[in-house]
Protein backbone atom coordinates (compact mmCIF):
# COMPACT_ATOMS: atom_id res chain seq x y z
CA UNK A 1 0.00 0.00 0.00
CA UNK A 2 1.18 3.52 -0.80
CA UNK A 3 0.03 6.58 1.17
CA UNK A 4 1.23 10.01 0.08
CA UNK A 5 0.32 13.66 0.27
CA UNK A 6 -1.11 13.29 -3.22
CA UNK A 7 -3.65 10.77 -1.93
CA UNK A 8 -4.52 13.02 1.00
CA UNK A 9 -5.10 15.86 -1.43
CA UNK A 10 -7.34 13.64 -3.53
CA UNK A 11 -9.44 12.92 -0.44
CA UNK A 12 -9.68 16.53 0.66
CA UNK A 13 -10.63 17.67 -2.86
CA UNK A 14 -12.94 14.76 -3.70
CA UNK A 15 -16.07 16.91 -3.77
CA UNK A 16 -14.53 19.90 -5.54
CA UNK A 17 -12.02 18.88 -8.23
CA UNK A 18 -14.68 17.76 -10.68
CA UNK A 19 -14.70 17.96 -14.46
CA UNK A 20 -16.88 16.73 -17.31
CA UNK A 21 -15.42 14.42 -19.95
CA UNK A 22 -14.90 17.35 -22.33
CA UNK A 23 -12.76 19.08 -19.69
CA UNK A 24 -15.44 21.53 -18.55
CA UNK A 25 -15.08 22.37 -14.87
CA UNK A 26 -18.19 21.53 -12.87
CA UNK A 27 -19.63 24.41 -10.86
CA UNK A 28 -18.39 24.37 -7.28
CA UNK A 29 -18.98 26.98 -4.60
CA UNK A 30 -15.72 25.88 -3.02
CA UNK A 31 -13.52 27.14 -5.85
CA UNK A 32 -13.79 30.81 -5.08
CA UNK A 33 -13.87 33.27 -2.21
CA UNK A 34 -15.90 34.43 -0.39
CA UNK A 35 -18.08 31.52 -1.52
CA UNK A 36 -21.65 31.13 -2.69
CA UNK A 37 -24.17 33.47 -1.02
CA UNK A 38 -25.75 30.60 0.91
CA UNK A 39 -22.38 29.42 2.26
CA UNK A 40 -20.16 32.30 3.34
CA UNK A 41 -19.27 34.87 5.99
CA UNK A 42 -21.39 37.94 6.65
CA UNK A 43 -20.80 40.86 9.00
CA UNK A 44 -23.41 42.23 11.39
CA UNK A 45 -24.04 45.89 12.20
CA UNK A 46 -21.62 45.60 15.15
CA UNK A 47 -18.74 44.60 12.85
CA UNK A 48 -18.63 41.01 14.08
CA UNK A 49 -18.73 38.08 11.66
CA UNK A 50 -20.92 35.01 11.31
CA UNK A 51 -20.91 32.13 8.86
CA UNK A 52 -24.14 31.19 7.11
CA UNK A 53 -24.06 27.47 6.26
CA UNK A 54 -27.35 27.12 4.35
CA UNK A 55 -25.95 24.29 2.23
CA UNK A 56 -29.19 22.95 0.77
CA UNK A 57 -32.20 24.67 -0.86
CA UNK A 58 -34.37 24.04 2.20
CA UNK A 59 -31.90 25.74 4.55
CA UNK A 60 -31.35 28.65 2.16
CA UNK A 61 -35.02 29.34 1.55
CA UNK A 62 -35.60 29.44 5.32
CA UNK A 63 -32.64 31.81 5.66
CA UNK A 64 -34.20 34.13 3.08
CA UNK A 65 -37.40 34.10 5.11
CA UNK A 66 -35.44 35.09 8.24
CA UNK A 67 -33.77 37.89 6.30
CA UNK A 68 -37.08 38.91 4.68
CA UNK A 69 -35.37 38.56 1.30
CA UNK A 70 -37.48 36.02 -0.58
CA UNK A 71 -37.35 38.52 -3.45
CA UNK A 72 -33.90 37.09 -4.20
CA UNK A 73 -35.54 34.06 -5.79
CA UNK A 74 -37.36 36.14 -8.42
CA UNK A 75 -34.26 37.89 -9.65
CA UNK A 76 -33.92 37.28 -13.37
CA UNK A 77 -30.50 35.65 -12.97
CA UNK A 78 -31.71 33.35 -10.17
CA UNK A 79 -35.13 32.51 -11.67
CA UNK A 80 -36.08 30.43 -8.62
CA UNK A 81 -33.27 27.93 -9.29
CA UNK A 82 -31.00 27.27 -6.31
CA UNK A 83 -28.08 26.02 -8.40
CA UNK A 84 -27.87 29.34 -10.25
CA UNK A 85 -26.36 30.73 -7.04
CA UNK A 86 -23.19 28.76 -7.84
CA UNK A 87 -22.62 30.76 -11.01
CA UNK A 88 -19.88 33.23 -10.08
CA UNK A 89 -21.54 36.42 -11.36
CA UNK A 90 -24.92 35.50 -9.86
CA UNK A 91 -23.45 34.45 -6.53
CA UNK A 92 -21.41 37.63 -6.25
CA UNK A 93 -24.42 39.86 -6.90
CA UNK A 94 -26.72 37.98 -4.52
CA UNK A 95 -24.02 37.84 -1.85
CA UNK A 96 -23.59 41.61 -2.01
CA UNK A 97 -27.33 42.11 -1.49
CA UNK A 98 -27.45 39.72 1.44
CA UNK A 99 -24.40 41.41 2.98
CA UNK A 100 -26.39 44.63 3.11
CA UNK A 101 -29.26 42.79 4.82
CA UNK A 102 -27.00 41.24 7.45
CA UNK A 103 -25.45 44.63 8.15
CA UNK A 104 -28.82 45.85 9.46
CA UNK A 105 -28.61 43.97 12.80
CA UNK A 106 -25.90 42.87 15.26
CA UNK A 107 -24.33 39.47 14.65
CA UNK A 108 -25.76 37.75 17.71
CA UNK A 109 -29.28 38.89 16.84
CA UNK A 110 -28.95 37.14 13.48
CA UNK A 111 -27.46 34.03 15.07
CA UNK A 112 -30.45 33.79 17.40
CA UNK A 113 -32.94 34.11 14.54
CA UNK A 114 -31.09 31.59 12.39
CA UNK A 115 -30.84 29.12 15.28
CA UNK A 116 -34.57 29.43 15.97
CA UNK A 117 -35.20 28.58 12.31
CA UNK A 118 -32.89 25.53 12.49
CA UNK A 119 -30.41 26.98 10.00
CA UNK A 120 -26.73 26.01 10.49
CA UNK A 121 -24.68 29.09 11.31
CA UNK A 122 -21.92 30.07 13.71
CA UNK A 123 -20.04 33.03 15.12
CA UNK A 124 -16.52 33.54 13.81
CA UNK A 125 -14.47 33.08 16.99
CA UNK A 126 -10.81 32.79 18.03
CA UNK A 127 -8.86 29.62 18.74
CA UNK A 128 -8.60 30.54 22.40
CA UNK A 129 -12.36 30.97 22.69
CA UNK A 130 -12.93 27.61 21.04
CA UNK A 131 -10.50 25.62 23.20
CA UNK A 132 -12.12 27.09 26.33
CA UNK A 133 -15.68 26.58 25.05
CA UNK A 134 -18.29 24.25 26.55
CA UNK A 135 -18.65 22.07 23.42
CA UNK A 136 -14.94 21.23 23.43
CA UNK A 137 -14.89 20.53 27.16
CA UNK A 138 -18.06 18.44 27.04
CA UNK A 139 -16.79 16.01 24.38
CA UNK A 140 -13.45 15.62 26.15
CA UNK A 141 -11.48 17.28 23.35
CA UNK A 142 -9.52 19.42 25.83
CA UNK A 143 -6.76 17.74 27.85
CA UNK A 144 -4.42 19.14 30.50
CA UNK A 145 -1.21 17.52 31.69
CA UNK A 146 2.05 18.48 33.41
CA UNK A 147 5.37 18.39 31.60
CA UNK A 148 8.65 18.26 33.58
CA UNK A 149 10.11 21.24 31.69
CA UNK A 150 7.16 23.13 30.18
CA UNK A 151 4.84 22.96 33.18
CA UNK A 152 1.08 22.80 32.68
CA UNK A 153 0.19 22.02 29.05
CA UNK A 154 -3.30 22.44 27.59
CA UNK A 155 -3.77 20.37 24.47
CA UNK A 156 -6.35 18.49 22.37
CA UNK A 157 -7.66 15.20 23.70
CA UNK A 158 -8.48 12.00 21.81
CA UNK A 159 -10.80 12.96 18.91
CA UNK A 160 -12.56 9.57 18.51
CA UNK A 161 -14.29 7.57 21.23
CA UNK A 162 -14.71 3.79 21.37
CA UNK A 163 -17.33 2.70 23.88
CA UNK A 164 -15.56 -0.46 25.09
CA UNK A 165 -11.92 0.45 24.57
CA UNK A 166 -11.58 4.26 24.67
CA UNK A 167 -8.24 5.83 23.85
CA UNK A 168 -6.38 8.07 26.24
CA UNK A 169 -3.45 10.46 26.36
CA UNK A 170 -0.82 8.44 28.21
CA UNK A 171 1.90 10.99 28.80
CA UNK A 172 3.62 13.96 27.21
CA UNK A 173 6.90 13.26 25.40
CA UNK A 174 9.99 14.02 27.44
CA UNK A 175 13.53 12.73 27.98
CA UNK A 176 12.38 10.21 30.59
CA UNK A 177 10.42 8.32 27.93
CA UNK A 178 13.38 7.75 25.60
CA UNK A 179 14.20 4.04 25.24
CA UNK A 180 16.85 1.96 23.56
CA UNK A 181 15.67 0.27 20.38
CA UNK A 182 16.88 -3.09 21.71
CA UNK A 183 14.37 -2.86 24.59
CA UNK A 184 11.27 -2.43 22.43
CA UNK A 185 8.70 -5.11 21.61
CA UNK A 186 11.01 -8.07 22.22
CA UNK A 187 9.62 -11.14 23.97
CA UNK A 188 11.14 -11.45 27.42
CA UNK A 189 14.27 -13.59 27.28
CA UNK A 190 14.65 -13.37 23.51
CA UNK A 191 18.16 -12.31 22.47
CA UNK A 192 18.45 -9.23 20.28
CA UNK A 193 18.23 -10.01 16.61
CA UNK A 194 16.08 -13.14 16.97
CA UNK A 195 12.49 -13.27 15.80
CA UNK A 196 9.83 -11.96 18.13
CA UNK A 197 7.32 -14.20 19.81
CA UNK A 198 3.55 -14.18 19.34
CA UNK A 199 1.74 -11.05 20.55
CA UNK A 200 0.30 -11.12 24.03
CA UNK A 201 -3.41 -11.71 24.53
CA UNK A 202 -5.89 -14.20 23.10
CA UNK A 203 -5.46 -15.44 19.56
CA UNK A 204 -7.57 -13.67 16.91
CA UNK A 205 -10.99 -15.22 16.47
CA UNK A 206 -11.54 -17.21 13.29
CA UNK A 207 -13.24 -15.22 10.57
CA UNK A 208 -16.21 -16.42 8.59
CA UNK A 209 -14.30 -16.31 5.32
CA UNK A 210 -10.68 -16.67 4.38
CA UNK A 211 -9.28 -13.85 2.26
CA UNK A 212 -8.11 -14.93 -1.16
CA UNK A 213 -4.68 -13.97 -2.40
CA UNK A 214 -4.82 -10.51 -3.94
CA UNK A 215 -7.99 -9.41 -2.17
CA UNK A 216 -8.08 -5.95 -0.63
CA UNK A 217 -7.70 -5.76 3.17
CA UNK A 218 -11.42 -5.30 3.91
CA UNK A 219 -12.75 -7.78 1.37
CA UNK A 220 -15.65 -9.62 3.03
CA UNK A 221 -16.51 -6.75 5.40
CA UNK A 222 -20.08 -5.52 4.96
CA UNK A 223 -21.01 -1.94 5.78
CA UNK A 224 -24.43 -0.29 6.02
CA UNK A 225 -24.33 3.48 5.63
CA UNK A 226 -27.51 5.28 6.70
CA UNK A 227 -25.85 8.71 6.86
CA UNK A 228 -26.22 11.87 4.77
CA UNK A 229 -24.17 14.83 3.52
CA UNK A 230 -20.38 14.33 3.56
CA UNK A 231 -18.43 13.52 6.74
CA UNK A 232 -20.13 10.24 7.67
CA UNK A 233 -20.73 8.96 4.10
CA UNK A 234 -17.08 9.61 3.21
CA UNK A 235 -16.04 7.26 6.03
CA UNK A 236 -17.95 4.52 4.20
CA UNK A 237 -16.22 5.46 0.97
CA UNK A 238 -12.79 5.12 2.59
CA UNK A 239 -13.77 1.65 3.79
CA UNK A 240 -14.91 0.81 0.25
CA UNK A 241 -11.50 1.94 -1.02
CA UNK A 242 -10.03 -0.95 0.99
CA UNK A 243 -12.49 -3.47 -0.39
CA UNK A 244 -15.48 -3.32 1.98
CA UNK A 245 -18.92 -3.93 0.45
CA UNK A 246 -20.75 -0.70 1.34
CA UNK A 247 -24.50 -0.24 0.89
CA UNK A 248 -25.96 3.24 1.35
CA UNK A 249 -29.51 3.34 2.69
CA UNK A 250 -31.57 6.37 1.72
CA UNK A 251 -35.16 7.51 1.92
CA UNK A 252 -37.22 7.95 -1.22
CA UNK A 253 -36.33 11.66 -1.18
CA UNK A 254 -32.64 10.77 -1.12
CA UNK A 255 -29.69 12.33 0.64
CA UNK A 256 -30.15 16.16 0.69
CA UNK A 257 -26.57 16.43 -0.58
CA UNK A 258 -27.78 15.04 -3.92
CA UNK A 259 -28.56 18.60 -4.99
CA UNK A 260 -24.80 18.78 -5.67
CA UNK A 261 -25.02 15.70 -7.89
CA UNK A 262 -21.42 15.46 -9.06
CA UNK A 263 -19.97 16.09 -5.60
CA UNK A 264 -22.46 13.65 -4.07
CA UNK A 265 -21.40 10.95 -6.49
CA UNK A 266 -17.71 11.60 -5.81
CA UNK A 267 -18.27 11.33 -2.05
CA UNK A 268 -20.18 8.04 -2.46
CA UNK A 269 -17.96 6.25 -4.97
CA UNK A 270 -17.98 2.44 -5.07
CA UNK A 271 -21.13 2.06 -2.97
CA UNK A 272 -24.38 0.35 -3.76
CA UNK A 273 -27.67 1.86 -2.63
CA UNK A 274 -31.09 0.82 -1.45
CA UNK A 275 -34.19 2.92 -0.75
CA UNK A 276 -35.95 2.36 2.58
CA UNK A 277 -38.47 4.50 4.47
CA UNK A 278 -37.41 3.87 8.06
CA UNK A 279 -40.62 5.42 9.33
CA UNK A 280 -42.47 2.36 8.02
CA UNK A 281 -42.30 -0.72 10.28
CA UNK A 282 -41.82 -3.23 7.45
CA UNK A 283 -39.00 -1.24 5.86
CA UNK A 284 -37.41 -0.67 9.24
CA UNK A 285 -37.55 -4.44 9.62
CA UNK A 286 -35.73 -4.76 6.30
CA UNK A 287 -32.96 -2.57 7.68
CA UNK A 288 -32.68 -4.77 10.76
CA UNK A 289 -32.41 -7.87 8.56
CA UNK A 290 -29.59 -6.19 6.62
CA UNK A 291 -27.94 -5.16 9.88
CA UNK A 292 -27.93 -8.79 11.03
CA UNK A 293 -25.54 -9.55 8.16
CA UNK A 294 -23.45 -6.38 8.45
CA UNK A 295 -20.15 -5.84 10.23
CA UNK A 296 -20.42 -2.04 10.42
CA UNK A 297 -23.29 0.45 10.60
CA UNK A 298 -22.57 4.16 9.97
CA UNK A 299 -25.05 6.91 10.88
CA UNK A 300 -25.16 10.63 11.51
CA UNK A 301 -28.65 10.74 12.99
CA UNK A 302 -29.34 12.32 16.35
CA UNK A 303 -29.63 9.79 19.17
CA UNK A 304 -33.23 10.95 19.75
CA UNK A 305 -34.08 10.25 16.10
CA UNK A 306 -32.72 6.71 16.34
CA UNK A 307 -34.70 6.15 19.53
CA UNK A 308 -37.90 7.27 17.81
CA UNK A 309 -37.21 4.79 15.02
CA UNK A 310 -36.69 1.99 17.51
CA UNK A 311 -33.01 1.82 16.57
CA UNK A 312 -31.49 3.22 19.75
CA UNK A 313 -28.17 2.25 21.23
CA UNK A 314 -29.59 -0.37 23.57
CA UNK A 315 -31.62 -2.06 20.83
CA UNK A 316 -28.73 -2.36 18.39
CA UNK A 317 -26.17 -3.41 21.00
CA UNK A 318 -28.45 -6.13 22.33
CA UNK A 319 -29.67 -7.45 19.00
CA UNK A 320 -26.29 -7.32 17.23
CA UNK A 321 -23.45 -7.74 19.74
CA UNK A 322 -20.83 -8.22 16.98
CA UNK A 323 -21.85 -5.04 15.14
CA UNK A 324 -19.41 -2.14 15.04
CA UNK A 325 -21.45 1.04 15.05
CA UNK A 326 -20.07 4.43 14.06
CA UNK A 327 -21.99 7.63 14.78
CA UNK A 328 -20.83 10.98 13.39
CA UNK A 329 -22.19 14.30 14.66
CA UNK A 330 -21.38 17.98 14.80
CA UNK A 331 -20.90 18.34 18.58
CA UNK A 332 -21.22 14.84 20.01
CA UNK A 333 -24.31 12.70 20.58
CA UNK A 334 -25.14 13.65 24.17
CA UNK A 335 -25.36 16.82 26.20
CA UNK A 336 -26.61 20.34 25.56
CA UNK A 337 -25.00 20.71 22.14
CA UNK A 338 -25.99 17.36 20.61
CA UNK A 339 -28.95 18.84 18.75
CA UNK A 340 -27.06 21.66 17.05
CA UNK A 341 -26.65 21.33 13.28
CA UNK A 342 -23.24 21.87 11.76
CA UNK A 343 -21.38 21.69 8.50
CA UNK A 344 -17.65 21.94 7.86
CA UNK A 345 -17.34 25.76 7.73
CA UNK A 346 -19.47 26.13 10.86
CA UNK A 347 -16.60 24.46 12.73
CA UNK A 348 -14.04 26.46 10.78
CA UNK A 349 -15.78 29.58 12.09
CA UNK A 350 -16.19 28.45 15.70
CA UNK A 351 -12.73 26.91 16.05
CA UNK A 352 -10.74 30.01 15.15
CA UNK A 353 -9.54 28.60 11.84
CA UNK A 354 -11.18 31.33 9.74
CA UNK A 355 -9.76 34.17 11.82
CA UNK A 356 -6.30 32.56 11.86
CA UNK A 357 -6.35 32.18 8.07
CA UNK A 358 -7.59 35.75 7.65
CA UNK A 359 -4.92 37.23 9.90
CA UNK A 360 -5.44 40.94 10.36
CA UNK A 361 -8.00 41.03 7.52
CA UNK A 362 -11.41 39.49 6.99
CA UNK A 363 -12.00 35.83 7.96
CA UNK A 364 -10.87 33.34 5.31
CA UNK A 365 -12.50 29.92 4.97
CA UNK A 366 -10.64 26.91 3.66
CA UNK A 367 -12.33 25.95 0.40
CA UNK A 368 -11.51 22.30 1.08
CA UNK A 369 -13.97 20.57 3.46
CA UNK A 370 -11.17 19.89 5.93
CA UNK A 371 -13.39 18.99 8.90
CA UNK A 372 -15.56 16.64 6.86
CA UNK A 373 -12.57 14.76 5.48
CA UNK A 374 -10.73 14.67 8.82
CA UNK A 375 -13.85 13.42 10.61
CA UNK A 376 -14.32 10.72 7.97
CA UNK A 377 -10.69 9.63 8.32
CA UNK A 378 -10.85 9.59 12.13
CA UNK A 379 -14.15 7.69 12.08
CA UNK A 380 -12.60 5.17 9.69
CA UNK A 381 -9.63 4.75 12.03
CA UNK A 382 -12.03 4.14 14.91
CA UNK A 383 -14.00 1.58 12.89
CA UNK A 384 -10.83 -0.30 11.97
CA UNK A 385 -9.68 -0.30 15.60
CA UNK A 386 -13.08 -1.66 16.68
CA UNK A 387 -12.96 -4.37 14.00
CA UNK A 388 -9.49 -5.37 15.17
CA UNK A 389 -10.73 -5.51 18.76
CA UNK A 390 -13.62 -7.71 17.61
CA UNK A 391 -11.17 -10.29 16.23
CA UNK A 392 -9.92 -10.75 19.78
CA UNK A 393 -13.18 -10.63 21.71
CA UNK A 394 -15.93 -11.40 19.20
CA UNK A 395 -17.75 -8.23 20.32
CA UNK A 396 -18.41 -5.00 18.51
CA UNK A 397 -18.67 -1.56 20.07
CA UNK A 398 -19.83 1.99 19.38
CA UNK A 399 -17.42 4.43 17.69
CA UNK A 400 -18.26 8.14 17.87
CA UNK A 401 -16.61 11.00 16.01
CA UNK A 402 -17.58 14.65 15.66
CA UNK A 403 -16.73 17.71 13.63
CA UNK A 404 -15.98 19.48 16.91
CA UNK A 405 -13.45 16.84 17.91
CA UNK A 406 -11.86 17.00 14.46
CA UNK A 407 -11.62 20.80 14.66
CA UNK A 408 -9.37 20.47 17.71
CA UNK A 409 -7.37 17.62 16.20
CA UNK A 410 -6.71 19.56 12.97
CA UNK A 411 -5.24 22.50 14.88
CA UNK A 412 -3.47 20.47 17.56
CA UNK A 413 -0.18 22.27 16.97
CA UNK A 414 -1.76 25.71 17.23
CA UNK A 415 -4.09 24.86 20.13
CA UNK A 416 -1.44 23.23 22.34
CA UNK A 417 -0.45 25.93 24.82
CA UNK A 418 1.95 26.35 27.73
CA UNK A 419 3.72 29.22 29.45
CA UNK A 420 6.06 31.01 27.05
CA UNK A 421 4.77 29.26 23.96
CA UNK A 422 5.39 31.39 20.80
CA UNK A 423 2.31 32.79 19.09
CA UNK A 424 1.22 30.54 16.18
CA UNK A 425 1.54 31.96 12.69
CA UNK A 426 -1.56 33.68 11.31
CA UNK A 427 -2.42 34.01 7.64
CA UNK A 428 -4.09 36.70 5.59
CA UNK A 429 -5.82 37.28 2.29
CA UNK A 430 -3.44 36.05 -0.43
CA UNK A 431 -1.10 34.83 2.31
CA UNK A 432 2.15 33.81 0.54
CA UNK A 433 3.45 31.55 3.30
CA UNK A 434 4.97 31.60 6.80
CA UNK A 435 8.47 32.64 5.70
CA UNK A 436 10.83 33.42 2.86
CA UNK A 437 11.90 29.80 2.38
CA UNK A 438 8.36 28.38 2.70
CA UNK A 439 6.01 30.30 0.49
CA UNK A 440 4.61 30.93 -2.99
CA UNK A 441 6.70 32.77 -5.57
CA UNK A 442 5.75 34.06 -8.99
CA UNK A 443 7.92 32.78 -11.84
CA UNK A 444 7.92 34.36 -15.30
CA UNK A 445 4.89 32.32 -16.43
CA UNK A 446 3.13 31.13 -13.28
CA UNK A 447 3.50 30.34 -9.60
CA UNK A 448 5.80 28.06 -7.58
CA UNK A 449 5.36 26.64 -4.08
CA UNK A 450 8.71 26.35 -2.26
CA UNK A 451 8.99 24.46 1.05
CA UNK A 452 12.57 24.39 2.32
CA UNK A 453 12.37 22.99 5.87
CA UNK A 454 15.96 21.99 6.66
CA UNK A 455 19.31 23.74 6.58
CA UNK A 456 20.38 21.62 3.58
CA UNK A 457 17.22 22.53 1.67
CA UNK A 458 17.66 26.24 2.43
CA UNK A 459 21.24 26.04 1.18
CA UNK A 460 19.97 24.27 -1.94
CA UNK A 461 17.40 27.01 -2.54
CA UNK A 462 20.04 29.74 -2.32
CA UNK A 463 22.41 27.75 -4.53
CA UNK A 464 19.71 27.22 -7.17
CA UNK A 465 18.97 30.94 -7.06
CA UNK A 466 22.66 31.60 -7.68
CA UNK A 467 23.22 33.41 -4.38
CA UNK A 468 24.75 31.13 -1.74
CA UNK A 469 26.14 34.29 -0.10
CA UNK A 470 22.64 35.01 1.21
CA UNK A 471 23.16 32.26 3.79
CA UNK A 472 23.72 34.67 6.69
CA UNK A 473 20.55 36.57 5.81
CA UNK A 474 18.64 33.28 5.66
CA UNK A 475 20.04 32.30 9.06
CA UNK A 476 18.76 35.53 10.59
CA UNK A 477 15.38 35.00 8.93
CA UNK A 478 15.07 31.46 10.28
CA UNK A 479 16.04 32.75 13.74
CA UNK A 480 12.91 34.92 13.71
CA UNK A 481 14.23 38.26 12.42
CA UNK A 482 11.21 39.65 10.55
CA UNK A 483 13.18 42.30 8.65
CA UNK A 484 15.68 39.71 7.42
CA UNK A 485 12.87 37.37 6.35
CA UNK A 486 11.18 40.12 4.37
CA UNK A 487 14.49 41.14 2.78
CA UNK A 488 15.24 37.54 1.76
CA UNK A 489 11.74 37.14 0.31
CA UNK A 490 12.19 40.27 -1.80
CA UNK A 491 15.52 39.05 -3.14
CA UNK A 492 14.22 35.59 -3.96
CA UNK A 493 11.13 37.09 -5.59
CA UNK A 494 13.30 39.08 -7.96
CA UNK A 495 15.42 36.07 -8.93
CA UNK A 496 12.61 33.54 -9.27
CA UNK A 497 10.61 35.89 -11.50
CA UNK A 498 13.36 35.67 -14.15
CA UNK A 499 12.73 32.05 -15.24
CA UNK A 500 9.79 29.86 -16.15
CA UNK A 501 8.04 27.49 -13.77
CA UNK A 502 9.45 24.43 -15.58
CA UNK A 503 12.98 25.79 -15.44
CA UNK A 504 12.76 26.35 -11.69
CA UNK A 505 11.13 23.00 -11.05
CA UNK A 506 14.09 21.23 -12.64
CA UNK A 507 16.72 23.44 -11.04
CA UNK A 508 15.31 23.41 -7.52
CA UNK A 509 14.58 19.69 -7.58
CA UNK A 510 18.17 19.05 -8.65
CA UNK A 511 19.29 20.95 -5.55
CA UNK A 512 17.07 18.89 -3.26
CA UNK A 513 14.51 21.62 -2.63
CA UNK A 514 10.84 20.58 -2.20
CA UNK A 515 8.98 22.54 -4.87
CA UNK A 516 5.81 22.30 -6.91
CA UNK A 517 3.90 24.30 -9.46
CA UNK A 518 0.62 25.97 -8.53
CA UNK A 519 -2.17 24.62 -10.74
CA UNK A 520 -4.90 26.68 -12.31
CA UNK A 521 -8.37 26.22 -10.84
CA UNK A 522 -9.63 25.29 -14.32
CA UNK A 523 -8.60 22.03 -15.97
CA UNK A 524 -6.42 20.98 -13.04
CA UNK A 525 -7.29 17.29 -13.45
CA UNK A 526 -5.62 17.30 -16.86
CA UNK A 527 -2.24 18.23 -15.39
CA UNK A 528 0.36 15.82 -16.74
CA UNK A 529 1.84 15.02 -13.32
CA UNK A 530 -1.57 14.21 -11.86
CA UNK A 531 -2.49 12.13 -14.89
CA UNK A 532 0.78 10.20 -14.71
CA UNK A 533 0.21 9.47 -11.02
CA UNK A 534 -3.43 8.42 -11.58
CA UNK A 535 -4.69 11.22 -9.33
CA UNK A 536 -8.12 11.18 -10.96
CA UNK A 537 -10.30 8.61 -12.66
CA UNK A 538 -13.28 8.59 -14.97
CA UNK A 539 -16.74 7.36 -14.04
CA UNK A 540 -17.86 5.76 -17.28
CA UNK A 541 -21.59 6.07 -16.74
CA UNK A 542 -21.46 9.74 -15.75
CA UNK A 543 -18.73 10.85 -18.19
CA UNK A 544 -17.04 12.79 -15.42
CA UNK A 545 -13.63 12.88 -13.78
CA UNK A 546 -12.86 13.25 -10.09
CA UNK A 547 -9.99 12.44 -7.70
CA UNK A 548 -9.14 8.82 -6.93
CA UNK A 549 -9.41 7.35 -3.42
CA UNK A 550 -7.19 8.57 -0.63
CA UNK A 551 -5.06 5.42 -0.70
CA UNK A 552 -3.50 3.40 -3.50
CA UNK A 553 -3.52 -0.37 -3.06
CA UNK A 554 -1.42 -2.71 -5.16
CA UNK A 555 -4.67 -4.20 -6.45
CA UNK A 556 -7.57 -1.98 -7.42
CA UNK A 557 -11.04 -3.00 -6.19
CA UNK A 558 -12.71 -5.33 -8.67
CA UNK A 559 -15.86 -4.35 -10.50
CA UNK A 560 -16.79 -0.86 -9.34
CA UNK A 561 -13.46 0.99 -9.38
CA UNK A 562 -14.54 3.41 -12.09
CA UNK A 563 -18.29 3.09 -11.84
CA UNK A 564 -18.98 5.71 -9.20
CA UNK A 565 -22.27 5.17 -7.37
CA UNK A 566 -24.68 2.39 -8.35
CA UNK A 567 -28.30 2.09 -7.26
CA UNK A 568 -29.58 -1.46 -6.75
Amino acid sequence: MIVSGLHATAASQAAMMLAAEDGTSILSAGKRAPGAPNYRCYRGSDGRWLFLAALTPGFFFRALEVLDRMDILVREDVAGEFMNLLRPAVGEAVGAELAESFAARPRDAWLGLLADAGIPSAPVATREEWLASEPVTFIGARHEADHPRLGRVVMPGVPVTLSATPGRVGHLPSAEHLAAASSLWLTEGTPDGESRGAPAGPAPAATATTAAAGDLPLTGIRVLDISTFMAAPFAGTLLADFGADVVKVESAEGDPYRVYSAAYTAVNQRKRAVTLDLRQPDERGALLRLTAEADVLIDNLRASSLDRLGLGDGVLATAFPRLVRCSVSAYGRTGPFAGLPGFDPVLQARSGMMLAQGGSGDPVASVAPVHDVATAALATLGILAALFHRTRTGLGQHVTASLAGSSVFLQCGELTTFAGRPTPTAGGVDFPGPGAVRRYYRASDGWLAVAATSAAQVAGLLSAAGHPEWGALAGDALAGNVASDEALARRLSGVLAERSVEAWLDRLAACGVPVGLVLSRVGELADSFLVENEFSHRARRRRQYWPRPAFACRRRPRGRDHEGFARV
Side-chain angles (χ1 to χ4, degrees), residues 78-450:
V78 176
E81 178 54 55
F82 175 77
M83 296 305 292
N84 281 336
L85 298 171
L86 297 188
R87 300 185 181 278
V90 178
E92 183 177 352
V94 172
E97 288 195 34
L98 294 185
E100 292 182 6
S101 298
F102 274 106
R105 295 189 185 189
R107 180 195 70 179
D108 288 349
W110 286 121
L111 287 172
L113 292 170
L114 293 168
D116 290 342
I119 301 163
S121 59
V124 178
T126 66
R127 286 168 170 160
E128 293 75 20
E129 290 171 330
W130 177 239
L131 189 60
S133 69
E134 286 187 83
V136 169
T137 301
F138 192 86
I139 63 174
R142 175 190 170 102
H143 180 78
E144 296 190 26
D146 290 317
H147 188 275
R149 185 170 59 86
L150 302 175
R152 195 66 170 173
V153 176
V154 179
M155 59 186 291
V158 179
V160 179
T161 300
L162 279 70
S163 60
T165 55
R168 62 185 177 85
V169 179
H171 58 77
L172 301 181
S174 64
E176 65 184 275
H177 297 109
L178 294 176
S182 59
S183 69
L184 300 176
W185 296 350
L186 296 174
T187 302
E188 186 176 355
T190 301
D192 290 355
E194 293 187 9
S195 60
R196 299 169 184 168
T207 56
T209 59
T210 301
D215 278 341
L216 292 175
L218 296 183
T219 296
I221 295 293
R222 293 176 174 176
V223 180
L224 277 180
D225 174 6
I226 62 173
S227 62
T228 55
F229 292 104
M230 184 172 180
F234 198 53
T237 301
L238 293 177
L239 294 172
D241 290 343
F242 286 103
D245 180 10
V246 183
V247 174
K248 194 168 192 295
V249 179
E250 295 187 8
S251 66
E253 296 79 19
D255 186 334
Y257 194 50
R258 279 179 177 269
V259 67
Y260 304 97
S261 59
Y264 166 85
T265 308
V267 168
N268 291 285
Q269 297 179 65
R270 288 166 301 284
K271 296 179 184 179
R272 296 182 290 164
V274 63
T275 299
L276 291 175
D277 184 352
L278 299 183
R279 295 166 297 185
Q280 303 300 320
D282 57 337
E283 301 204 18
R284 194 160 58 246
L287 175 69
L288 291 173
R289 288 192 294 275
L290 289 171
T291 304
E293 299 183 12
D295 299 283
V296 179
L297 176 68
I298 299 173
D299 76 83
N300 64 346
L301 297 172
R302 295 171 183 167
S304 58
S305 298
L306 286 168
D307 287 336
R308 284 195 300 271
L309 292 171
L311 301 172
D313 295 350
V315 172
L316 293 173
T318 301
F320 312 109
R322 285 181 52 81
L323 181 69
V324 171
R325 288 188 55 212
C326 178
S327 295
V328 174
S329 63
Y331 299 97
R333 299 182 74 250
T334 61
F337 314 101
L340 294 179
F343 293 122
D344 187 290
V346 166
L347 274 300
Q348 288 192 45
R350 285 188 182 276
S351 69
M353 185 178 289
M354 285 186 185
L355 283 181
Q357 292 186 145
S360 59
D362 295 348
V364 173
S366 168
V367 297
V370 290
H371 288 88
D372 284 335
V373 174
T375 303
L378 290 168
T380 302
L381 176 63
I383 290 169
L384 295 176
L387 287 172
F388 177 75
H389 178 259
R390 191 182 71 174
T391 65
R392 300 197 203 179
T393 65
L395 297 175
Q397 57 182 305
H398 195 178
V399 178
T400 55
S402 67
L403 297 177
S406 297
S407 77
V408 180
F409 173 79
L410 283 169
Q411 298 184 86
C412 58
E414 292 78 12
L415 290 174
T416 297
T417 58
F418 48 85
R421 187 241 157 94
T423 302
T425 301
V429 178
D430 296 327
F431 181 60
V437 297
R438 290 179 57 213
R439 57 166 286 170
Y440 297 105
Y441 284 102
R442 186 188 289 276
S444 63
D445 60 349
W447 286 86
L448 293 164
V450 175

